[in-house]
Structure formats: C-alpha cells, structure tokens
Amino acid sequence: MSGGEGASSKDVGLTHVALLVRDPQASIDFYGCYAGMEVVHRRRDGASGRQVLWLSDSTRPFVIVLIQAEKVEGRLEGFAHLGVGCTSRAEVDRLCALAREEGRLKLGPLDSGEPVGYWAFIQDPDGHNLEISYGQEVALTVARR
C-alpha cells in the first residue's frame, strides 16, 4: 500500500474519475442537481493556479475530480459516460424533463429492460455525458458474482 501509515484501507480499487471543466461552479451546480453530488475537497493547484475539486454523493469512497481548464478536450461523449442510479423511474423522468427544459437532454429516457434498465443521457456544461438510470442493479449483479 502506498501513501504511508496514514493511508486509508478504503482507498483501494477505483477511487475517482477526472474531468476537465471550464467553469467549475457550473459543473458543481450540474452534478449537484443531476447526480446529488457536493464538493468534499477544494484547492488551487500551486503550479497552474487552477481550481481542483472533488465531488461525491457520499454513498461510497468515489469522487469526480473536476480540473479547471481553459479548453476541454477528451470529453465523455458518444456512449462514453458517467452513470448514476436514481431512486425511481419517476426521478429519471423528472430529471429528463428538467434537462429537456435546459437543452441538456441528449438521449432518452429509454427502457432497455434488464440489466440496462430505464435510462437517459444528459450533457454537462462541458459536453461530458451523464447517464441517469433506474433498474440497472449494478450492486446486485456484482454481489451475485
């Protein structure tokens, strides 16, 4: 284990994904609204002076790292995406209606049956795709393995 004696044993496996963003506050607002995430860490990079933020929904030790950049390249687009499970189909529908009003809805909602469930793609302020879904049962699938 790296990181010295103080490193947490929970920081094993997939811990984060990093995205470049132009306007950190717009991304904080988006992921707060559509993914129930909030800032758990914030700093300015000493060398570049750019903001670096960690967002979490506090359900597991995993964060989205937002790195401020003047230009965003390497977007999660097409079928590349971050996926968030919702509590119900109605919640997917509510978020899709909001995304449609804001011009962010890219695809869906669609019902693809098991194991994909009811899902849609919503575009964040920098063009990264967020999938919202209900009924994918990722936790149950992993547990059955």
Side-chain angles (χ1 to χ4, degrees):
M1 180 161 102
S2 64
E5 291 180 33
S8 169
S9 62
K10 292 182 181 180
D11 284 351
V12 175
L14 187 62
T15 59
H16 69 279
V17 62
L19 301 175
L20 296 178
V21 300
R22 290 172 301 195
D23 180 347
Q25 189 59 53
S27 294
I28 290 168
D29 294 345
F30 174 86
Y31 287 102
C33 176
Y34 289 101
M37 303 185 97
E38 63 185 6
V39 176
V40 296
H41 172 79
R42 180 189 303 251
R43 70 178 185 279
R44 285 214 179 263
D45 179 73
S48 70
R50 296 176 188 203
Q51 288 188 70
V52 178
L53 305 125
W54 295 4
L55 304 181
S56 175
D57 63 7
S58 299
T59 61
R60 62 190 51 83
F62 181 84
V63 297
I64 297 175
V65 178
L66 303 178
I67 303 167
Q68 185 179 20
E70 290 179 25
K71 185 176 181 182
V72 175
E73 296 180 9
R75 288 178 180 86
L76 294 176
E77 54 190 352
F79 269 89
H81 63 274
L82 298 173
V84 173
C86 294
T87 57
S88 66
R89 287 176 67 103
E91 180 66 1
V92 172
D93 288 338
R94 183 188 74 77
L95 292 172
C96 284
L98 178 60
R100 189 176 293 111
E101 287 175 20
E102 294 180 350
R104 298 185 182 285
L105 187 62
K106 294 275 294 195
L107 182 63
L110 302 168
D111 191 339
S112 297
E114 290 186 22
V116 179
Y118 189 62
W119 62 279
F121 276 0
I122 298 171
Q123 192 173 61
D124 85 357
D126 292 289
H128 301 292
N129 286 334
L130 177 71
E131 179 194 74
I132 57 171
S133 66
Y134 175 73
Q136 287 190 351
E137 304 297 343
V138 172
L140 292 176
T141 302
V142 171
R144 281 187 229 134
R145 186 179 178 283

